[in-house]
Amino acid sequence: MNEKEVLIEVKDLRKYFQVGRHQVLKAVDGVSFKIYKGETLGLVGESGCGKTTCGKTVMGLYDATGGEVIFDGVEIHSLHKKEKKEFTKRAQIIFQDPYSSLNPRMTVGDIIGEGIDIHKLYTGKERQEKIYELLELVGLNREHALRFPHEFSGGQRQRIGIARALAIEPEFIVCDEPISALDVSIQAQIVNLLIELQKKRNLTYLFIAHDLSMVKHISDRVGVMYLGNMVEFASSDELYSKPLHPYTKALMSAIPIPDPKEEKKKTRIPIEGEIPSPVNPKPGCRFAARCKYATELCRSETPKLEEMEEGHYVACHRVKEI
Ligand code: SF4
C-alpha cells in the first residue's frame, strides 16, 4: 500500500427512502470511514444491511440524505454537472450481476468503448487499440470485441464489466458484490484478477460482499455493517483473528474451514431469526433483537463506534464483558 494518503472520506453518511406516507427506510444511517489510496476496503454484512446502498451513495448514484462523501478533498454530492462528469471519470463501479449489467444489443467492443466515447479519450484506431488492450488485460482476447454478451460465460462477462470500468482509467472502483453471481470455481479467478489489476494500476477499491472468505483475501481493512450501521471496523487480519462484536463473531464462525478436521472442531455461533426490517428501526442497538447479550441499555441507547485497540473500532455497549 502507498503512504497513507486518504482518497475518500465518508462522514456520517445517511441514505433514507420514504416508504408510503409515514415510514422511512433507513438503509444507511450514520456511516463513517476513510479509504486510503491504493488500498482495498471490504464492506460486509448480510443482504439488506445497507452495504450496496452505501456503495452507490459513495459513487453518487444515490443522493445522500445526510453526511458527506469527500473524494480527493471535494464533496461529491454538491458537484455541478461538469465536475460530476470529471468525478465519474476517476471513480467507477463494477456491478454484481454480469448477466444484466451488459447491454445485450451492443458488441463487447462498444460496451468497453462507451466510456471512452463519453469522456472523449480516444477515437479511431487509438480507440480500437485501447479496447484490444483492455480485453487482453482482463484475460480475454481481441477477437472477443465483435461478439455479444450472450456468447460469454458468467466469469467472462464479469471480465468484460471490469474492462468497461477500467476503460477510462479510474483511480477508484466500487466492486459491488462482483463475485456473488458467479460459480465458486470462478470467484477466486475474478478476485485474483482484481488484485493483479490493483497492483498494475494502483487502484483503490471499495469491495462489497457477503462472502467473508473472499473479502479477507482481497481487503486491507474491513467494515461490518448491520441494518444501516457500521458495527465493527478493523484491519483484515485483526478482524478475522479477533472479532469483537457479537454479530461479527457469529459471521466469522460460519466461514467454512477447508480442513475437515478443523471444521469439525469449530463452534458455530448461531444468529437467531432474520435481519429485521430497516423501516422505522427501533431505538438502541439494531442487533439487540438477535443478540443473546442484549440488556435494557442496548434496547434504548445506540452504541457508538469506539476504538478498542489501534485501528479496531466496535459499536457494542458490552464489548468489554463478552
Ligand atoms: Fe448485543 Fe448490546 Fe452489544 Fe448490541 S450493544 S451487540 S445488543 S451486547
PDB file of all heavy atoms in Angstrom, residues 43-80:
ATOM      1  N   LEU A  43     -16.430  -4.249   2.624  1.00  0.00           N
ATOM      2  CA  LEU A  43     -17.652  -3.916   3.362  1.00  0.00           C
ATOM      3  C   LEU A  43     -18.521  -5.172   3.344  1.00  0.00           C
ATOM      4  O   LEU A  43     -18.886  -5.654   2.269  1.00  0.00           O
ATOM      5  CB  LEU A  43     -18.348  -2.765   2.637  1.00  0.00           C
ATOM      6  CG  LEU A  43     -19.195  -1.783   3.449  1.00  0.00           C
ATOM      7  CD1 LEU A  43     -18.443  -1.248   4.638  1.00  0.00           C
ATOM      8  CD2 LEU A  43     -19.647  -0.634   2.559  1.00  0.00           C
ATOM      9  N   VAL A  44     -18.794  -5.712   4.539  1.00  0.00           N
ATOM     10  CA  VAL A  44     -19.519  -6.985   4.592  1.00  0.00           C
ATOM     11  C   VAL A  44     -20.764  -6.886   5.464  1.00  0.00           C
ATOM     12  O   VAL A  44     -20.916  -5.951   6.255  1.00  0.00           O
ATOM     13  CB  VAL A  44     -18.630  -8.140   5.127  1.00  0.00           C
ATOM     14  CG1 VAL A  44     -17.428  -8.366   4.247  1.00  0.00           C
ATOM     15  CG2 VAL A  44     -18.200  -7.900   6.568  1.00  0.00           C
ATOM     16  N   GLY A  45     -21.610  -7.881   5.334  1.00  0.00           N
ATOM     17  CA  GLY A  45     -22.848  -7.948   6.116  1.00  0.00           C
ATOM     18  C   GLY A  45     -23.869  -8.739   5.321  1.00  0.00           C
ATOM     19  O   GLY A  45     -23.713  -8.935   4.115  1.00  0.00           O
ATOM     20  N   GLU A  46     -24.921  -9.190   6.017  1.00  0.00           N
ATOM     21  CA  GLU A  46     -25.975  -9.957   5.331  1.00  0.00           C
ATOM     22  C   GLU A  46     -26.680  -9.083   4.308  1.00  0.00           C
ATOM     23  O   GLU A  46     -26.619  -7.848   4.394  1.00  0.00           O
ATOM     24  CB  GLU A  46     -27.032 -10.402   6.356  1.00  0.00           C
ATOM     25  CG  GLU A  46     -26.570 -11.476   7.298  1.00  0.00           C
ATOM     26  CD  GLU A  46     -27.491 -11.555   8.504  1.00  0.00           C
ATOM     27  OE1 GLU A  46     -27.439 -10.661   9.368  1.00  0.00           O
ATOM     28  OE2 GLU A  46     -28.259 -12.515   8.577  1.00  0.00           O
ATOM     29  N   SER A  47     -27.414  -9.722   3.387  1.00  0.00           N
ATOM     30  CA  SER A  47     -28.126  -8.886   2.420  1.00  0.00           C
ATOM     31  C   SER A  47     -29.197  -8.085   3.175  1.00  0.00           C
ATOM     32  O   SER A  47     -29.803  -8.577   4.130  1.00  0.00           O
ATOM     33  CB  SER A  47     -28.690  -9.710   1.273  1.00  0.00           C
ATOM     34  OG  SER A  47     -29.750 -10.431   1.687  1.00  0.00           O
ATOM     35  N   GLY A  48     -29.359  -6.825   2.772  1.00  0.00           N
ATOM     36  CA  GLY A  48     -30.294  -5.943   3.468  1.00  0.00           C
ATOM     37  C   GLY A  48     -29.615  -5.095   4.539  1.00  0.00           C
ATOM     38  O   GLY A  48     -30.268  -4.308   5.212  1.00  0.00           O
ATOM     39  N   CYS A  49     -28.281  -5.227   4.691  1.00  0.00           N
ATOM     40  CA  CYS A  49     -27.596  -4.468   5.751  1.00  0.00           C
ATOM     41  C   CYS A  49     -27.263  -3.049   5.308  1.00  0.00           C
ATOM     42  O   CYS A  49     -26.844  -2.226   6.114  1.00  0.00           O
ATOM     43  CB  CYS A  49     -26.335  -5.187   6.210  1.00  0.00           C
ATOM     44  SG  CYS A  49     -25.010  -5.136   4.999  1.00  0.00           S
ATOM     45  N   GLY A  50     -27.397  -2.766   4.012  1.00  0.00           N
ATOM     46  CA  GLY A  50     -27.168  -1.406   3.524  1.00  0.00           C
ATOM     47  C   GLY A  50     -25.840  -1.214   2.812  1.00  0.00           C
ATOM     48  O   GLY A  50     -25.517  -0.115   2.372  1.00  0.00           O
ATOM     49  N   LYS A  51     -25.070  -2.312   2.651  1.00  0.00           N
ATOM     50  CA  LYS A  51     -23.730  -2.134   2.079  1.00  0.00           C
ATOM     51  C   LYS A  51     -23.767  -1.695   0.607  1.00  0.00           C
ATOM     52  O   LYS A  51     -22.985  -0.821   0.214  1.00  0.00           O
ATOM     53  CB  LYS A  51     -22.868  -3.387   2.272  1.00  0.00           C
ATOM     54  CG  LYS A  51     -23.469  -4.672   1.734  1.00  0.00           C
ATOM     55  CD  LYS A  51     -22.698  -5.883   2.238  1.00  0.00           C
ATOM     56  CE  LYS A  51     -23.106  -7.154   1.533  1.00  0.00           C
ATOM     57  NZ  LYS A  51     -24.519  -7.532   1.638  1.00  0.00           N
ATOM     58  N   THR A  52     -24.696  -2.244  -0.178  1.00  0.00           N
ATOM     59  CA  THR A  52     -24.775  -1.832  -1.587  1.00  0.00           C
ATOM     60  C   THR A  52     -25.279  -0.399  -1.702  1.00  0.00           C
ATOM     61  O   THR A  52     -24.760   0.393  -2.494  1.00  0.00           O
ATOM     62  CB  THR A  52     -25.677  -2.810  -2.375  1.00  0.00           C
ATOM     63  OG1 THR A  52     -24.960  -4.025  -2.524  1.00  0.00           O
ATOM     64  CG2 THR A  52     -26.036  -2.293  -3.746  1.00  0.00           C
ATOM     65  N   THR A  53     -26.278  -0.042  -0.878  1.00  0.00           N
ATOM     66  CA  THR A  53     -26.770   1.347  -0.892  1.00  0.00           C
ATOM     67  C   THR A  53     -25.639   2.295  -0.508  1.00  0.00           C
ATOM     68  O   THR A  53     -25.481   3.375  -1.088  1.00  0.00           O
ATOM     69  CB  THR A  53     -27.953   1.518   0.080  1.00  0.00           C
ATOM     70  OG1 THR A  53     -28.932   0.537  -0.240  1.00  0.00           O
ATOM     71  CG2 THR A  53     -28.557   2.897   0.001  1.00  0.00           C
ATOM     72  N   CYS A  54     -24.833   1.871   0.449  1.00  0.00           N
ATOM     73  CA  CYS A  54     -23.696   2.692   0.879  1.00  0.00           C
ATOM     74  C   CYS A  54     -22.748   2.894  -0.313  1.00  0.00           C
ATOM     75  O   CYS A  54     -22.349   4.026  -0.618  1.00  0.00           O
ATOM     76  CB  CYS A  54     -22.986   1.991   2.044  1.00  0.00           C
ATOM     77  SG  CYS A  54     -21.637   2.945   2.710  1.00  0.00           S
ATOM     78  N   GLY A  55     -22.409   1.802  -1.015  1.00  0.00           N
ATOM     79  CA  GLY A  55     -21.504   1.897  -2.179  1.00  0.00           C
ATOM     80  C   GLY A  55     -22.061   2.810  -3.252  1.00  0.00           C
ATOM     81  O   GLY A  55     -21.346   3.638  -3.820  1.00  0.00           O
ATOM     82  N   LYS A  56     -23.355   2.690  -3.521  1.00  0.00           N
ATOM     83  CA  LYS A  56     -23.966   3.513  -4.577  1.00  0.00           C
ATOM     84  C   LYS A  56     -24.037   4.981  -4.163  1.00  0.00           C
ATOM     85  O   LYS A  56     -23.946   5.872  -5.001  1.00  0.00           O
ATOM     86  CB  LYS A  56     -25.357   2.976  -4.928  1.00  0.00           C
ATOM     87  CG  LYS A  56     -25.265   1.660  -5.697  1.00  0.00           C
ATOM     88  CD  LYS A  56     -26.615   1.196  -6.182  1.00  0.00           C
ATOM     89  CE  LYS A  56     -26.438  -0.034  -7.074  1.00  0.00           C
ATOM     90  NZ  LYS A  56     -27.688  -0.693  -7.374  1.00  0.00           N
ATOM     91  N   THR A  57     -24.215   5.230  -2.873  1.00  0.00           N
ATOM     92  CA  THR A  57     -24.265   6.624  -2.407  1.00  0.00           C
ATOM     93  C   THR A  57     -22.854   7.222  -2.436  1.00  0.00           C
ATOM     94  O   THR A  57     -22.678   8.396  -2.770  1.00  0.00           O
ATOM     95  CB  THR A  57     -24.895   6.721  -1.000  1.00  0.00           C
ATOM     96  OG1 THR A  57     -26.057   5.884  -0.962  1.00  0.00           O
ATOM     97  CG2 THR A  57     -25.301   8.137  -0.648  1.00  0.00           C
ATOM     98  N   VAL A  58     -21.875   6.395  -2.116  1.00  0.00           N
ATOM     99  CA  VAL A  58     -20.471   6.858  -2.212  1.00  0.00           C
ATOM    100  C   VAL A  58     -20.146   7.234  -3.662  1.00  0.00           C
ATOM    101  O   VAL A  58     -19.438   8.201  -3.921  1.00  0.00           O
ATOM    102  CB  VAL A  58     -19.500   5.757  -1.679  1.00  0.00           C
ATOM    103  CG1 VAL A  58     -18.063   6.046  -2.069  1.00  0.00           C
ATOM    104  CG2 VAL A  58     -19.618   5.642  -0.163  1.00  0.00           C
ATOM    105  N   MET A  59     -20.706   6.489  -4.601  1.00  0.00           N
ATOM    106  CA  MET A  59     -20.474   6.763  -6.031  1.00  0.00           C
ATOM    107  C   MET A  59     -21.316   7.922  -6.561  1.00  0.00           C
ATOM    108  O   MET A  59     -21.177   8.319  -7.710  1.00  0.00           O
ATOM    109  CB  MET A  59     -20.828   5.522  -6.862  1.00  0.00           C
ATOM    110  CG  MET A  59     -19.767   4.463  -6.893  1.00  0.00           C
ATOM    111  SD  MET A  59     -18.245   5.027  -7.661  1.00  0.00           S
ATOM    112  CE  MET A  59     -18.774   5.317  -9.333  1.00  0.00           C
ATOM    113  N   GLY A  60     -22.248   8.407  -5.749  1.00  0.00           N
ATOM    114  CA  GLY A  60     -23.124   9.478  -6.215  1.00  0.00           C
ATOM    115  C   GLY A  60     -24.280   8.978  -7.068  1.00  0.00           C
ATOM    116  O   GLY A  60     -25.002   9.764  -7.680  1.00  0.00           O
ATOM    117  N   LEU A  61     -24.484   7.641  -7.119  1.00  0.00           N
ATOM    118  CA  LEU A  61     -25.616   7.106  -7.884  1.00  0.00           C
ATOM    119  C   LEU A  61     -26.925   7.353  -7.137  1.00  0.00           C
ATOM    120  O   LEU A  61     -27.999   7.377  -7.730  1.00  0.00           O
ATOM    121  CB  LEU A  61     -25.443   5.606  -8.149  1.00  0.00           C
ATOM    122  CG  LEU A  61     -24.199   5.229  -8.956  1.00  0.00           C
ATOM    123  CD1 LEU A  61     -24.081   3.728  -9.106  1.00  0.00           C
ATOM    124  CD2 LEU A  61     -24.219   5.884 -10.333  1.00  0.00           C
ATOM    125  N   TYR A  62     -26.851   7.485  -5.811  1.00  0.00           N
ATOM    126  CA  TYR A  62     -27.973   7.953  -4.993  1.00  0.00           C
ATOM    127  C   TYR A  62     -27.559   9.271  -4.363  1.00  0.00           C
ATOM    128  O   TYR A  62     -26.400   9.415  -3.949  1.00  0.00           O
ATOM    129  CB  TYR A  62     -28.268   6.985  -3.847  1.00  0.00           C
ATOM    130  CG  TYR A  62     -28.869   5.655  -4.205  1.00  0.00           C
ATOM    131  CD1 TYR A  62     -28.470   4.497  -3.544  1.00  0.00           C
ATOM    132  CD2 TYR A  62     -29.861   5.539  -5.177  1.00  0.00           C
ATOM    133  CE1 TYR A  62     -29.023   3.259  -3.841  1.00  0.00           C
ATOM    134  CE2 TYR A  62     -30.423   4.313  -5.478  1.00  0.00           C
ATOM    135  CZ  TYR A  62     -29.994   3.173  -4.821  1.00  0.00           C
ATOM    136  OH  TYR A  62     -30.545   1.962  -5.119  1.00  0.00           O
ATOM    137  N   ASP A  63     -28.507  10.189  -4.249  1.00  0.00           N
ATOM    138  CA  ASP A  63     -28.252  11.394  -3.457  1.00  0.00           C
ATOM    139  C   ASP A  63     -28.189  10.984  -1.997  1.00  0.00           C
ATOM    140  O   ASP A  63     -28.913  10.084  -1.577  1.00  0.00           O
ATOM    141  CB  ASP A  63     -29.404  12.399  -3.628  1.00  0.00           C
ATOM    142  CG  ASP A  63     -29.392  12.998  -5.023  1.00  0.00           C
ATOM    143  OD1 ASP A  63     -28.314  13.049  -5.623  1.00  0.00           O
ATOM    144  OD2 ASP A  63     -30.473  13.397  -5.501  1.00  0.00           O
ATOM    145  N   ALA A  64     -27.347  11.648  -1.234  1.00  0.00           N
ATOM    146  CA  ALA A  64     -27.281  11.335   0.208  1.00  0.00           C
ATOM    147  C   ALA A  64     -28.399  12.075   0.935  1.00  0.00           C
ATOM    148  O   ALA A  64     -28.728  13.205   0.578  1.00  0.00           O
ATOM    149  CB  ALA A  64     -25.932  11.746   0.767  1.00  0.00           C
ATOM    150  N   THR A  65     -28.993  11.423   1.942  1.00  0.00           N
ATOM    151  CA  THR A  65     -29.971  12.101   2.800  1.00  0.00           C
ATOM    152  C   THR A  65     -29.236  13.042   3.758  1.00  0.00           C
ATOM    153  O   THR A  65     -29.742  14.094   4.134  1.00  0.00           O
ATOM    154  CB  THR A  65     -30.779  11.057   3.599  1.00  0.00           C
ATOM    155  OG1 THR A  65     -31.326  10.122   2.674  1.00  0.00           O
ATOM    156  CG2 THR A  65     -31.893  11.688   4.417  1.00  0.00           C
ATOM    157  N   GLY A  66     -28.040  12.636   4.145  1.00  0.00           N
ATOM    158  CA  GLY A  66     -27.226  13.474   5.025  1.00  0.00           C
ATOM    159  C   GLY A  66     -25.795  12.981   5.030  1.00  0.00           C
ATOM    160  O   GLY A  66     -25.500  11.897   4.526  1.00  0.00           O
ATOM    161  N   GLY A  67     -24.903  13.786   5.572  1.00  0.00           N
ATOM    162  CA  GLY A  67     -23.496  13.401   5.649  1.00  0.00           C
ATOM    163  C   GLY A  67     -22.730  13.799   4.399  1.00  0.00           C
ATOM    164  O   GLY A  67     -23.265  14.488   3.518  1.00  0.00           O
ATOM    165  N   GLU A  68     -21.492  13.351   4.328  1.00  0.00           N
ATOM    166  CA  GLU A  68     -20.617  13.782   3.226  1.00  0.00           C
ATOM    167  C   GLU A  68     -19.811  12.615   2.659  1.00  0.00           C
ATOM    168  O   GLU A  68     -19.475  11.683   3.386  1.00  0.00           O
ATOM    169  CB  GLU A  68     -19.614  14.815   3.753  1.00  0.00           C
ATOM    170  CG  GLU A  68     -20.230  16.126   4.209  1.00  0.00           C
ATOM    171  CD  GLU A  68     -19.156  17.049   4.757  1.00  0.00           C
ATOM    172  OE1 GLU A  68     -18.517  16.663   5.757  1.00  0.00           O
ATOM    173  OE2 GLU A  68     -18.951  18.119   4.190  1.00  0.00           O
ATOM    174  N   VAL A  69     -19.497  12.736   1.368  1.00  0.00           N
ATOM    175  CA  VAL A  69     -18.537  11.830   0.734  1.00  0.00           C
ATOM    176  C   VAL A  69     -17.478  12.728   0.102  1.00  0.00           C
ATOM    177  O   VAL A  69     -17.756  13.423  -0.887  1.00  0.00           O
ATOM    178  CB  VAL A  69     -19.199  10.950  -0.354  1.00  0.00           C
ATOM    179  CG1 VAL A  69     -18.150  10.085  -1.049  1.00  0.00           C
ATOM    180  CG2 VAL A  69     -20.299  10.073   0.244  1.00  0.00           C
ATOM    181  N   ILE A  70     -16.301  12.743   0.699  1.00  0.00           N
ATOM    182  CA  ILE A  70     -15.258  13.648   0.216  1.00  0.00           C
ATOM    183  C   ILE A  70     -14.243  12.834  -0.585  1.00  0.00           C
ATOM    184  O   ILE A  70     -13.575  11.951  -0.044  1.00  0.00           O
ATOM    185  CB  ILE A  70     -14.589  14.375   1.401  1.00  0.00           C
ATOM    186  CG1 ILE A  70     -15.673  15.190   2.129  1.00  0.00           C
ATOM    187  CG2 ILE A  70     -13.469  15.290   0.936  1.00  0.00           C
ATOM    188  CD1 ILE A  70     -15.283  15.623   3.502  1.00  0.00           C
ATOM    189  N   PHE A  71     -14.178  13.125  -1.875  1.00  0.00           N
ATOM    190  CA  PHE A  71     -13.262  12.407  -2.775  1.00  0.00           C
ATOM    191  C   PHE A  71     -12.129  13.349  -3.140  1.00  0.00           C
ATOM    192  O   PHE A  71     -12.368  14.393  -3.757  1.00  0.00           O
ATOM    193  CB  PHE A  71     -14.026  11.952  -4.036  1.00  0.00           C
ATOM    194  CG  PHE A  71     -13.162  11.192  -5.014  1.00  0.00           C
ATOM    195  CD1 PHE A  71     -12.976   9.820  -4.878  1.00  0.00           C
ATOM    196  CD2 PHE A  71     -12.538  11.840  -6.071  1.00  0.00           C
ATOM    197  CE1 PHE A  71     -12.185   9.118  -5.774  1.00  0.00           C
ATOM    198  CE2 PHE A  71     -11.743  11.142  -6.974  1.00  0.00           C
ATOM    199  CZ  PHE A  71     -11.570   9.773  -6.825  1.00  0.00           C
ATOM    200  N   ASP A  72     -10.933  12.991  -2.730  1.00  0.00           N
ATOM    201  CA  ASP A  72      -9.766  13.824  -3.013  1.00  0.00           C
ATOM    202  C   ASP A  72     -10.019  15.294  -2.631  1.00  0.00           C
ATOM    203  O   ASP A  72      -9.749  16.210  -3.414  1.00  0.00           O
ATOM    204  CB  ASP A  72      -9.406  13.689  -4.502  1.00  0.00           C
ATOM    205  CG  ASP A  72      -7.923  13.943  -4.751  1.00  0.00           C
ATOM    206  OD1 ASP A  72      -7.163  14.044  -3.768  1.00  0.00           O
ATOM    207  OD2 ASP A  72      -7.534  14.045  -5.926  1.00  0.00           O
ATOM    208  N   GLY A  73     -10.620  15.484  -1.476  1.00  0.00           N
ATOM    209  CA  GLY A  73     -10.813  16.836  -0.946  1.00  0.00           C
ATOM    210  C   GLY A  73     -12.097  17.526  -1.365  1.00  0.00           C
ATOM    211  O   GLY A  73     -12.374  18.636  -0.918  1.00  0.00           O
ATOM    212  N   VAL A  74     -12.920  16.870  -2.223  1.00  0.00           N
ATOM    213  CA  VAL A  74     -14.119  17.539  -2.722  1.00  0.00           C
ATOM    214  C   VAL A  74     -15.367  16.720  -2.391  1.00  0.00           C
ATOM    215  O   VAL A  74     -15.389  15.492  -2.599  1.00  0.00           O
ATOM    216  CB  VAL A  74     -14.031  17.722  -4.267  1.00  0.00           C
ATOM    217  CG1 VAL A  74     -15.286  18.378  -4.809  1.00  0.00           C
ATOM    218  CG2 VAL A  74     -12.797  18.522  -4.642  1.00  0.00           C
ATOM    219  N   GLU A  75     -16.414  17.372  -1.871  1.00  0.00           N
ATOM    220  CA  GLU A  75     -17.659  16.671  -1.526  1.00  0.00           C
ATOM    221  C   GLU A  75     -18.429  16.377  -2.820  1.00  0.00           C
ATOM    222  O   GLU A  75     -18.773  17.298  -3.560  1.00  0.00           O
ATOM    223  CB  GLU A  75     -18.501  17.572  -0.594  1.00  0.00           C
ATOM    224  CG  GLU A  75     -19.412  16.777   0.336  1.00  0.00           C
ATOM    225  CD  GLU A  75     -20.519  16.016  -0.346  1.00  0.00           C
ATOM    226  OE1 GLU A  75     -21.289  16.638  -1.112  1.00  0.00           O
ATOM    227  OE2 GLU A  75     -20.622  14.795  -0.134  1.00  0.00           O
ATOM    228  N   ILE A  76     -18.692  15.098  -3.074  1.00  0.00           N
ATOM    229  CA  ILE A  76     -19.194  14.746  -4.412  1.00  0.00           C
ATOM    230  C   ILE A  76     -20.686  15.034  -4.625  1.00  0.00           C
ATOM    231  O   ILE A  76     -21.128  15.191  -5.758  1.00  0.00           O
ATOM    232  CB  ILE A  76     -18.872  13.274  -4.782  1.00  0.00           C
ATOM    233  CG1 ILE A  76     -19.621  12.309  -3.860  1.00  0.00           C
ATOM    234  CG2 ILE A  76     -17.407  12.986  -4.784  1.00  0.00           C
ATOM    235  CD1 ILE A  76     -20.288  11.223  -4.631  1.00  0.00           C
ATOM    236  N   HIS A  77     -21.463  15.089  -3.534  1.00  0.00           N
ATOM    237  CA  HIS A  77     -22.892  15.315  -3.736  1.00  0.00           C
ATOM    238  C   HIS A  77     -23.217  16.766  -4.031  1.00  0.00           C
ATOM    239  O   HIS A  77     -24.352  17.080  -4.403  1.00  0.00           O
ATOM    240  CB  HIS A  77     -23.697  14.798  -2.536  1.00  0.00           C
ATOM    241  CG  HIS A  77     -23.681  13.304  -2.471  1.00  0.00           C
ATOM    242  ND1 HIS A  77     -22.830  12.604  -1.642  1.00  0.00           N
ATOM    243  CD2 HIS A  77     -24.358  12.363  -3.168  1.00  0.00           C
ATOM    244  CE1 HIS A  77     -23.007  11.316  -1.825  1.00  0.00           C
ATOM    245  NE2 HIS A  77     -23.926  11.140  -2.741  1.00  0.00           N
ATOM    246  N   SER A  78     -22.245  17.651  -3.856  1.00  0.00           N
ATOM    247  CA  SER A  78     -22.522  19.050  -4.166  1.00  0.00           C
ATOM    248  C   SER A  78     -21.900  19.459  -5.513  1.00  0.00           C
ATOM    249  O   SER A  78     -21.857  20.643  -5.846  1.00  0.00           O
ATOM    250  CB  SER A  78     -21.988  19.947  -3.040  1.00  0.00           C
ATOM    251  OG  SER A  78     -20.624  19.669  -2.844  1.00  0.00           O
ATOM    252  N   LEU A  79     -21.438  18.465  -6.281  1.00  0.00           N
ATOM    253  CA  LEU A  79     -20.781  18.795  -7.554  1.00  0.00           C
ATOM    254  C   LEU A  79     -21.790  19.232  -8.606  1.00  0.00           C
ATOM    255  O   LEU A  79     -22.922  18.739  -8.653  1.00  0.00           O
ATOM    256  CB  LEU A  79     -20.044  17.562  -8.097  1.00  0.00           C
ATOM    257  CG  LEU A  79     -18.855  17.047  -7.276  1.00  0.00           C
ATOM    258  CD1 LEU A  79     -18.313  15.773  -7.909  1.00  0.00           C
ATOM    259  CD2 LEU A  79     -17.763  18.105  -7.198  1.00  0.00           C
ATOM    260  N   HIS A  80     -21.356  20.140  -9.484  1.00  0.00           N
ATOM    261  CA  HIS A  80     -22.184  20.510 -10.629  1.00  0.00           C
ATOM    262  C   HIS A  80     -21.946  19.492 -11.749  1.00  0.00           C
ATOM    263  O   HIS A  80     -21.031  18.683 -11.670  1.00  0.00           O
ATOM    264  CB  HIS A  80     -21.836  21.926 -11.098  1.00  0.00           C
ATOM    265  CG  HIS A  80     -22.161  22.947 -10.053  1.00  0.00           C
ATOM    266  ND1 HIS A  80     -23.437  23.152  -9.590  1.00  0.00           N
ATOM    267  CD2 HIS A  80     -21.359  23.775  -9.336  1.00  0.00           C
ATOM    268  CE1 HIS A  80     -23.424  24.083  -8.654  1.00  0.00           C
ATOM    269  NE2 HIS A  80     -22.172  24.470  -8.473  1.00  0.00           N
TER     270      HIS A  80
END
